[in-house]
Amino acid sequence: MYKWFLASRYLYTKLIALFGVAAVTLCVAMVLVVLSVMGGFLDTVRSRSRGLHSEIVLEGGTLQGFPYYGEFGEHIQAEYPDLVDVTTPAIYTYAIFRVPATTWTKPARVLGVRLNDYVKVNDFQKGLHYDRYYPGTTRLGLQGIPVAGVVEPGTDAGRLPDAGTFRLPPDLEAANERWRLEETDPEAIRGFDVSPFQRAPFPYVTPAILGERVYSVDYGPPRYEGPEHYGVIVGCDLLNQRRDDGDFNRFLARGGDIALTLMPLSRTGTATGEPPIRVPLRYVDDSRTGIYEIDSLCVYVDFDMLQHKLAMDPQALVAGGHTPSRANQLLIGLKDGVDINAARDLIGQEWLRFYGSLLPEIHDVDALAMRNAEVYTWEDLQRPFIQAVEKEKVLVTFLFSLISMVAIVLIGCIFYMIVEKKTRDIGILKSLGASGRGVAGLFIVYAGAVGLVGTVLGTGLGATVVWYINDIQDFLAYLNPQLRVWSPDVYSFDKIPNVVKLPDALWIASLAVLSSIVGSLIPAWIAGRVWPVSALRYE
Amino acid sequence: MSKPLLRARNLHKSYMMGREPLRVLKGASFDAEEGEFVVITGSSGSGKSTLLHVLGALDVPDRGTVEFDGRSLFDLADVARRRYRSHDVGFVFQFYHLLPECNVLENVLMARLVACSFWGWRQVRRQARHEAEELLERLGLSERLRHRPNELSGGERQRVAIARALINHPALLLADEPTGNLDTEVGRDILRLLTELNVAGQTIVMVTHDAKVAAHAHRYVRLSSGVIRKVESPADGRVSTGSAAKETIP
C-alpha cells in the first residue's frame, strides 16, 4: 500500500518529477501531432483516391481498351443483383489540352465517363464546383455558352444596370434557387452572394479572379449562345490558379472554349494513321478531388463522344461486320455492406468465365484484350500512391518515436537522481519491513504516475495543437509568410489534417506510460538493492 | 531464570575501509529479557550502532547468531526477517529518519502501511488511524498531526519516530542514540518517555555514548573494541520490571 501512497505523495512534492512529467508531456504531444497529421494526410489521400474510382474496377490495362464491357456489366448485374449496384464504362487516354482563346497548352489525361452513372459509383460529384451552386447543370452533352444578362434589355437604355440585376438563363437560375433552398450553411449562401458575376470580356477569358460564378456577362438577355459543343469538366489545377488560401482564381468563364487533341488507336494499339483529332468542348465545371496529381492532369468528357472520337465504337470491317466497342475500364459499384475483397474475387472469377464463354466466337485481338483485363478494388489501383503515404507515415512516426526515446533516457536519469536523493527514505522503509521488490515497485509506480500525468497533459496539449493547427499556421504565416509550412500548392490539401483519432491517442498514451516505467526500471532495481544500513548511514 | 527475548552470541562484523577490512564486532554477545531496559554504551566507533543494526536484522553479521523469541533471525527466510522488522521490533534513530514528504500522522502510519497490502489496508485503515492518533496524543503530539517533520522541533520529531516505532506494538524497541541530537532538557524528556514505556512493559535496548543515560536503564553494558566488556547496574537502584539481565563476557 505504501507504494501507491508514497508515489502519489512524491508526485506532487518533488519538483524534479515535474521535469519527467514535462518530458513525457512534450514527447506525447509531439508524437500525437505527428501521427494525427500524417494519419489525417493518409486518410485524406485514401478517401480522395477513392473519389475517382468505383469499389471494383475491371481494368483493361491498355490504352486501346477491351471489348464486351457492356455485356459483362449487364451479366454481373443480372447474376449478382445483391452484390452489384451499378456498372458504368470509362475510357481514358492522353491528349493535348488547349484553351483556344489563349496560348495555353498542357498535357491532359482524358476520362470518358457517363456522368449520371459515374457519380453513382464514386464521390466525383462532391468535387464539382458549379454543380454545387447550380445542381444538375453540369452536363457533358452538347451545349452552348451560358451568358448572364438583363431580363429586360433596353428598358433603361444608356444606363448600365446594377450587377445584382444580371440573370443567368432560366435553368441555371432555377438550379441556383434549388441550391439556396437546400443549403443548410447560411455562410455559404452569403459567400456566394457577395461574389459578383465575373465578367469575361475577351472571349470568355477573365483576368485572374476569385469567383464563385464566373460567367460571360453582357447587357443582352440571359441566354445560351455560340455553337453547341460537348461539355468538359476540367481538373481544378489544370485550368485555374491555386491561391495560398486554397481557393482558386478562375480564368475561363463557364461555357468557355476548350480544345483537346486526341490520338485514336486501333484495336491492336497502333495509331490509326489519321491525323490527330481536335475536339472542341465547352468548359462546364471544374473538378477537385484534392489530389494534385489528378486535379492538375485530368479532364472528363462524355463517354460516347470520346469512344467515337477514339474509334473505340464499333468499326466496320472490310470483311463485313463490325468490331465490338471498347472501353478501358468497367466501373462497378457495389451494394452497401458488401465485402469489397470478396466481391473482387467473385467478379474476377466471373470475368474469366465470361471471357471463356466468348472465346470460340471472338477475334484473337479481342480475346487478347479481354485476357489482359483484370479486376481490382479501388485500393488495389491506388496502392502505389497510398502505400507511399503509408510508408511515409510509418517512417515519420518511427523517427519521432525514436526521438521520444529520449524521454525514456531522461526518465531514467531523473529517477536515478531521485533514488540517490531518496536513499535514506529507502533505508527507513526497509527498516520498517519493506522488501527490495516493494521499494523497487514504489519507484516503478512513481514513474508510472509521472508517465500517466505527462501522458494526460501531453494528450491534451497534442490534441489542442492538432485541433488548432491551421490557426497556428495562419498566425505564424501572419508573423512571417515564410513560416507557412503547409502550402496547399505543395500538398494539394487546403488544410492541415486536424483530427485526433482516439485509438491513436490511446496507443500513444499506453506507450508513453510504458516508456516511463521502462525508463525507471534500472533506478528502481538499484533502489531495491540498497542495503538498509548503508541507506540509513547515507549522507 | 526466564528465557531472554533477544539473545545474541559471538557476533562478528567487519566492513571494508578501502582495501582494508575494519573489524567492528569481534565476538559480542548480549541478552535482553522481556520488559527489560538495557543500555549499550561505548565510545564513538566502538560498534554500538552496528550491534543494534544486527540485533534489528538491518544488517547481517559475518558470524554469530541472534535469536529473537527462540528463533534464529539469520536462519529465517527473507520474508520472515522483514516481518520481524515490521512487527517484532521498532527502531528509533538518532536523526529521527522521518519521511519529509509525509506529515506526522502519515509518518506514524507508514509502519502500518508497509505491513499491509493494498486491500488489507482498506480493511484496517480506520483502526490504524485511530491507534496512531491515540498514540500521538499520548506522546503529546495531538496538535501536530498535520505538520511536516520540518515544522517540528527535534524533540517532537523524536517522539514521532518513537510513535512510528510503537504503532505495530513491537515486542522490542531498539533505540540508536535517541537523545544524541537533542539538547539536554529535551533529551531528558525523551528518556523519561522511554522509561515510562518500559515501565508499561516495553522491552527497550538503547545505544548511547552518554554514560549518564544509563541511569534510566535496568542495567547497561559497555561495548569496547567490538566486544561487551562490562556490565553494570544503574546507580539509582531503579527497579526492573523484567528479569535480571545476564551477559556473557567473552
Side-chain angles (χ1 to χ4, degrees):
Chain A
M1 178 60 204
Y2 69 99
K3 294 190 275 288
W4 304 95
F5 176 79
L6 278 180
S8 67
R9 187 52 55 88
Y10 286 167
L11 188 63
Y12 64 83
T13 55
K14 305 304 294 176
L15 182 66
I16 195 167
L18 294 182
F19 289 103
V21 169
V24 176
T25 299
L26 291 175
C27 287
V28 166
M30 181 173 66
V31 176
L32 187 63
V33 169
V34 167
L35 199 63
S36 297
V37 170
M38 289 306 295
F41 185 43
L42 177 61
D43 288 347
T44 312
V45 166
R46 194 189 290 272
S47 72
R48 291 182 179 181
S49 303
R50 165 76 181 86
L52 273 187
H53 292 91
S54 54
E55 282 109 330
I56 303 288
V57 179
L58 174 57
E59 165 64 50
T62 59
L63 277 182
Q64 66 267 32
F66 63 95
Y68 304 112
Y69 57 87
E71 288 84 346
F72 181 66
E74 287 167 11
H75 172 71
I76 56 171
Q77 275 192 286
E79 284 288 314
Y80 302 104
D82 296 335
L83 185 79
V84 178
D85 187 31
V86 62
T87 63
T88 183
I91 292 174
Y92 56 78
T93 186
Y94 291 87
I96 297 169
F97 173 89
R98 179 163 168 264
V99 180
T102 70
T103 54
W104 295 349
T105 50
K106 289 184 180 177
R109 180 180 161 96
V110 185
L111 275 93
V113 297
R114 287 178 177 148
L115 192 58
N116 288 343
D117 290 333
Y118 189 62
V119 296
K120 288 181 194 166
V121 297
N122 57 32
D123 297 331
F124 182 72
Q125 193 166 18
K126 289 182 188 166
L128 296 177
H129 173 72
Y130 287 108
D131 195 65
R132 178 183 175 195
Y133 302 110
Y134 303 92
T137 61
T138 295
R139 295 173 292 106
L140 295 177
L142 289 167
Q143 55 198 287
I145 307 160
V147 180
V150 288
V151 178
E152 294 179 32
T155 51
D156 194 5
R159 206 163 68 84
L160 294 179
D162 294 335
T165 63
F166 285 114
R167 291 286 179 273
L168 285 163
D171 63 320
L172 292 174
E173 287 294 341
N176 184 244
E177 197 54 39
R178 282 203 304 278
W179 168 70
R180 285 170 187 281
L181 292 173
E182 289 168 11
E183 178 60 61
T184 52
D185 179 11
E187 273 302 300
I189 296 175
R190 203 184 61 80
F192 179 83
D193 286 342
V194 298
S195 160
F197 276 120
Q198 301 294 343
R199 301 182 64 177
F202 179 71
Y204 321 115
V205 178
T206 73
I209 47 170
L210 170 67
E212 305 283 11
R213 39 183 177 171
V214 183
Y215 285 93
S216 184
V217 179
D218 67 14
Y219 302 111
R223 65 193 181 278
Y224 285 94
E225 68 174 22
E228 289 201 329
H229 293 318
Y230 281 95
V232 60
I233 298 168
V234 182
C236 56
D237 286 291
L238 183 60
L239 186 60
N240 306 320
Q241 181 189 45
R242 189 185 281 261
R243 292 150 44 110
D244 278 350
D245 61 5
D247 212 330
F248 289 91
N249 288 329
R250 292 186 165 78
F251 296 89
L252 192 62
R254 194 177 190 197
D257 288 331
I258 296 232
L260 290 178
T261 305
L262 302 167
M263 173 74 77
L265 298 176
S266 71
R267 280 195 295 177
T268 55
T270 54
T272 56
E274 300 291 328
I277 299 165
R278 181 180 173 279
V279 183
L281 298 160
R282 290 258 167 265
Y283 160 62
V284 295
D285 212 333
D286 51 50
S287 154
R288 187 177 197 178
T289 65
I291 296 175
Y292 187 77
E293 288 79 358
I294 293 170
D295 292 340
S296 62
L297 190 65
C298 290
V299 299
Y300 309 83
V301 298
D302 180 68
F303 173 85
D304 296 299
M305 180 276 294
L306 185 63
Q307 190 179 46
H308 175 67
K309 296 290 182 188
L310 291 175
M312 292 172 81
D313 56 345
Q315 302 288 309
L317 294 169
V318 178
H322 288 83
T323 60
S325 55
R326 287 172 287 138
N328 297 101
Q329 292 179 328
L330 182 68
L331 308 176
I332 302 165
L334 301 177
K335 299 271 191 192
D336 289 342
V338 172
D339 179 346
I340 189 169
N341 290 317
R344 174 196 56 197
D345 296 343
L346 189 67
I347 293 170
Q349 288 163 11
E350 196 58 42
W351 171 247
L352 291 177
R353 272 197 291 276
F354 179 79
Y355 160 68
S357 69
L358 293 179
L359 257 186
E361 307 159 19
I362 59 176
H363 192 277
D364 288 350
V365 177
D366 293 331
L368 188 62
M370 288 178 77
R371 203 173 65 194
N372 286 337
E374 285 191 47
V375 178
Y376 300 96
T377 65
W378 70 269
E379 218 165 350
D380 294 335
L381 288 173
Q382 290 296 329
R383 182 149 294 149
F385 186 46
I386 293 173
Q387 264 185 347
V389 182
E390 271 175 351
K391 287 189 188 308
E392 204 173 317
K393 178 190 170 189
V394 171
L395 183 68
V396 172
T397 307
F398 172 74
L399 289 176
F400 276 86
S401 300
L402 209 61
I403 294 168
S404 297
M405 292 296 119
V406 172
I408 296 182
V409 178
L410 195 59
I411 291 281
C413 294
I414 288 170
F415 271 79
Y416 185 79
M417 289 163 69
I418 291 174
V419 167
E420 284 275 300
K421 207 170 174 186
K422 286 284 155 200
T423 300
R424 182 169 289 180
D425 286 13
I426 294 166
I428 295 167
L429 291 170
K430 288 201 164 180
S431 77
L432 296 175
S435 65
R437 193 179 291 182
V439 169
L442 161 64
F443 288 96
I444 290 172
V445 170
Y446 185 17
V450 166
L452 191 64
V453 173
T455 297
V456 169
L457 294 176
T459 304
L461 177 66
T464 307
V465 169
V466 172
W467 288 330
Y468 292 100
I469 195 162
N470 289 293
D471 297 309
I472 293 169
Q473 186 187 234
D474 288 346
F475 176 69
L476 292 175
Y478 167 75
L479 295 178
N480 180 355
Q482 298 296 320
L483 295 175
R484 184 177 288 280
V485 290
W486 186 279
S487 166
D489 216 16
V490 176
Y491 290 101
S492 175
F493 310 148
D494 314 339
K495 300 283 182 189
I496 305 172
N498 62 346
V499 175
V500 178
K501 289 183 181 169
L502 185 63
D504 286 348
L506 291 176
W507 182 80
I508 294 168
S510 313
L511 212 63
V513 175
L514 188 69
S515 300
S516 302
I517 290 172
V518 168
S520 73
L521 286 181
I522 293 176
W525 180 73
I526 291 170
R529 285 176 58 87
V530 169
W531 195 241
V533 168
S534 53
L536 289 169
R537 285 182 174 151
Y538 183 80
E539 296 295 336
Chain B
M1 185 193 302
S2 65
K3 191 177 172 186
L5 181 68
L6 190 70
R7 182 185 174 90
R9 287 292 175 272
N10 194 28
L11 293 174
H12 289 259
K13 180 71 186 175
S14 57
Y15 295 106
M16 292 302 289
M17 292 291 284
R19 291 185 174 185
E20 296 298 317
L22 175 67
R23 295 181 64 202
V24 182
L25 297 180
K26 301 170 185 169
S29 297
F30 172 82
D31 285 357
E33 295 187 3
E34 202 169 332
E36 198 176 19
F37 189 166
V38 185
V39 168
I40 302 170
T41 64
S43 58
S44 185
S46 61
K48 307 183 295 291
S49 293
T50 300
L51 176 60
L52 200 74
H53 291 151
V54 171
L55 296 178
L58 289 177
D59 209 350
V60 179
D62 298 334
R63 264 193 295 150
T65 60
V66 177
E67 287 179 13
F68 176 81
D69 206 16
R71 293 173 295 152
S72 175
L73 288 185
F74 299 104
D75 291 337
L76 293 175
D78 194 42
V79 178
R81 216 179 305 161
R82 283 205 311 273
R83 187 176 166 77
Y84 166 74
R85 285 204 295 264
S86 67
H87 288 79
D88 298 327
V89 66
F91 290 96
V92 178
F93 301 101
Q94 178 181 0
F95 294 103
Y96 331 120
H97 287 339
L98 301 176
L99 297 173
E101 285 82 10
C102 300
N103 64 31
V104 166
L105 186 62
E106 290 162 347
N107 262 291
V108 174
L109 285 172
M110 190 54 62
R112 191 64 71 84
L113 277 167
V114 168
C116 283
S117 68
F118 186 85
W119 300 111
W121 173 248
R122 296 181 74 84
Q123 290 166 0
V124 302
R125 64 177 171 180
R126 208 176 292 266
Q127 175 67 20
R129 191 186 176 87
H130 177 69
E131 283 180 32
E133 285 173 353
E134 212 170 56
L135 186 56
L136 286 165
E137 192 177 348
R138 271 170 52 203
L139 297 179
L141 291 165
S142 56
E143 303 297 316
R144 300 290 208 174
L145 299 186
R146 306 286 167 207
H147 289 231
R148 293 275 175 88
N150 61 357
E151 297 164 338
L152 303 176
S153 67
E156 286 172 327
R157 290 184 206 189
Q158 197 57 293
R159 277 186 280 162
V160 175
I162 291 169
R164 182 181 62 189
L166 295 175
I167 187 71
N168 285 335
H169 312 294
L172 177 64
L173 187 68
L174 298 176
D176 186 3
E177 302 265 17
T179 60
N181 209 30
L182 303 172
D183 61 42
T184 313
E185 194 167 339
V186 177
R188 200 177 297 135
D189 284 347
I190 293 297
L191 286 173
R192 193 176 302 128
L193 176 63
L194 291 175
T195 307
E196 284 168 14
L197 290 169
N198 175 245
V199 168
Q202 179 68 53
T203 308
I204 300 173
V205 175
M206 185 172 81
V207 157
T208 180
H209 66 275
D210 185 355
K212 283 182 280 183
V213 171
H216 292 261
H218 295 126
R219 63 189 170 92
Y220 72 88
V221 298
R222 187 166 188 80
L223 188 65
S224 175
S225 302
V227 292
I228 301 290
R229 295 285 184 198
K230 193 176 179 185
V231 184
E232 294 181 22
S233 296
D236 63 357
R238 187 172 165 258
V239 179
S240 168
T241 56
S243 309
K246 300 282 183 205
E247 291 76 35
T248 301
I249 301 173

